[in-house]
Amino acid sequence: MKRIFLVACTVLVAMMASAQSKVYFTKEITPESLVKIYHALGVEAKGRVAVKISTGEGGNTHYLKPTLIRQLVEDVNGTIVECCTAYDGSRQDPAKHWQTIHEHGFDSIFAVDLMDEFGEMRIPIKDQRHLKYDIVGDHLSRYDFMINLAHFKGHAMGGFGGVMKNASIGVASTNGKAYIHSAGKTADPKLTWTEGYLAAGKTQDLFLESMAAAAQAVHNYFNGRVIYINVMNNMSVDCDCDGHPAKPQLQDMGIMASLDPVAVDQACLDKVFNYQGRPGDDNKPLIQRINRQHGTYITDYAERIGLGSKKYTLIEIK
């Protein structure tokens, strides 16, 4: 009887291990390695493919460069997609945003679609604790598949930015961004930016919960036809939405990819938090920024609502 019990336990542990999400990792950050890690996922991007990136605020130099992502975008015959911001800056309206897109060299290489240029739409949201729907650019309806190609780095409000931020705030229209930042209180960006959105503390968690819920809404909209990639380079404590970001103090680490957005963001967090820093290659500033905003809570909550799993198996691509 004891032997049967032990065998059953062994089988159960093996099943649990096999159920973990797969996260692929390569230390190499090149156009070729981006294509390679995409193919390692074993899922083909079919139909009309949206490649969601951040085109970067004017003056920022840390965003993912067209030369880095070109081979991947061409491999999937994709369209670069973006939305306008909800704050004053070089991407706050379509005219300014198109100018920034041009200055950063995206429109000279790719087809680019500013998804909320002509309107927005509401998509269903599963977790309605704070948001009743997600407000996104109405051109999202043009696409059958999304490659969420995020730049992993710090963020002034979220603590860090990865694929979940890229899916939630990144895909939201200007009004949608205000709706998420205010945890469903308002969709008026002028009002919420004047108020400073939500302060750190208990209300900060409501913002993070709203981001997780909005990321799940986009994932469900595509019925899971999404690939998630985090590029861990130029990891400043500041986001690509900052026109004057702090200089990165942590070395480039590589690329992570998964079909599970929670797992790939968690894997990047683990990589940063477990890194043995040294002078000139310091992970402490980024960790401090993430902790200041309780940033790791988003993976906890996203797992709780069923968007993905924090448990993963890391598969390194040599």
Side-chain angles (χ1 to χ4, degrees):
M1 191 73 174
K2 183 177 180 181
R3 182 175 179 178
I4 294 174
F5 174 74
L6 290 174
V7 171
C9 287
T10 302
V11 172
L12 180 60
V13 169
M15 290 175 61
M16 291 174 65
S18 65
Q20 291 183 348
S21 296
K22 293 179 180 179
V23 176
Y24 292 86
F25 171 67
T26 176
K27 294 178 182 178
E28 192 175 83
I29 305 177
T30 64
E32 294 78 14
S33 63
L34 260 180
V35 174
K36 190 173 183 179
I37 205 167
Y38 154 65
H39 285 294
L41 291 169
V43 174
E44 184 182 356
K46 296 181 179 180
R48 299 164 297 179
V49 180
V51 182
K52 175 62 186 76
I53 64 165
S54 168
T55 49
E57 192 68 13
N60 187 294
T61 59
H62 296 159
Y63 60 91
L64 300 181
K65 303 301 188 294
T67 50
L68 174 64
I69 69 174
R70 181 173 186 168
Q71 287 189 32
L72 175 60
V73 178
E74 291 179 346
D75 191 271
V76 300
N77 192 27
T79 299
I80 297 295
V81 299
E82 255 279 46
C83 285
C84 291
T85 61
Y87 56 84
D88 292 340
S90 69
R91 299 179 297 154
Q92 69 175 133
D93 60 54
K96 289 182 178 180
H97 201 156
W98 276 116
Q99 181 61 31
T100 302
I101 288 169
H102 179 70
E103 290 173 356
H104 288 178
F106 289 101
D107 60 342
S108 62
I109 299 177
F110 311 112
V112 182
D113 185 0
L114 200 53
M115 293 191 293
D116 64 339
E117 181 173 12
F118 302 108
E120 61 189 24
M121 66 180 186
R122 297 177 179 181
I123 62 174
I125 200 162
K126 181 180 178 181
D127 175 46
Q128 297 191 3
R129 182 177 181 187
H130 309 300
L131 310 179
K132 303 306 177 188
Y133 39 76
D134 191 19
I135 311 173
V136 300
D138 64 1
H139 283 188
L140 190 69
S141 62
R142 291 179 170 183
Y143 302 99
D144 308 304
F145 196 103
M146 175 173 282
I147 294 182
N148 182 327
L149 182 54
H151 175 209
F152 187 89
K153 69 287 177 191
H155 190 269
M157 297 190 69
F160 78 95
V163 295
M164 284 191 284
K165 178 183 177 294
N166 198 34
S168 56
I169 298 297
V171 175
S173 65
T174 295
N175 292 332
K177 287 176 171 63
Y179 191 54
I180 295 168
H181 271 285
S182 65
K185 292 181 176 64
T186 178
D188 184 344
K190 293 181 181 179
L191 175 64
T192 48
W193 279 113
T194 301
E195 293 174 341
Y197 283 130
L198 298 173
K202 183 179 179 181
T203 51
Q204 171 70 4
D205 286 355
L206 307 189
F207 162 52
L208 296 173
E209 289 171 0
S210 299
M211 276 211 296
Q216 186 179 44
V218 173
H219 184 86
N220 291 347
Y221 178 81
F222 283 100
N223 195 26
R225 294 187 296 273
V226 189
I227 283 172
Y228 297 95
I229 303 174
N230 272 329
V231 180
M232 304 180 74
N233 70 343
N234 295 319
M235 289 182 286
S236 169
V237 298
D238 296 316
C239 181
D240 297 344
C241 59
D242 192 324
H244 304 282
K247 181 180 178 180
Q249 298 185 52
L250 180 61
Q251 72 170 13
D252 296 349
M253 290 185 170
I255 304 172
M256 299 271 194
S258 182
L259 303 180
D260 182 337
V262 180
V264 74
D265 271 356
Q266 185 63 50
C268 290
L269 288 169
D270 291 343
K271 196 78 172 173
V272 170
F273 275 76
N274 295 326
Y275 186 70
Q276 297 298 315
R278 54 187 181 274
D281 181 18
D282 191 2
N283 58 341
K284 292 185 181 66
L286 182 53
I287 290 174
Q288 290 168 356
R289 172 59 58 87
I290 294 169
N291 286 340
R292 188 190 77 181
Q293 299 303 109
H294 197 199
T296 58
Y297 176 61
I298 191 172
T299 58
D300 296 335
Y301 189 77
E303 182 181 56
R304 190 186 312 167
I305 64 175
L307 176 55
S309 173
K310 290 172 59 178
K311 298 180 178 67
Y312 59 88
T313 300
L314 192 64
I315 304 168
E316 185 170 355
I317 301 174
K318 299 295 185 180

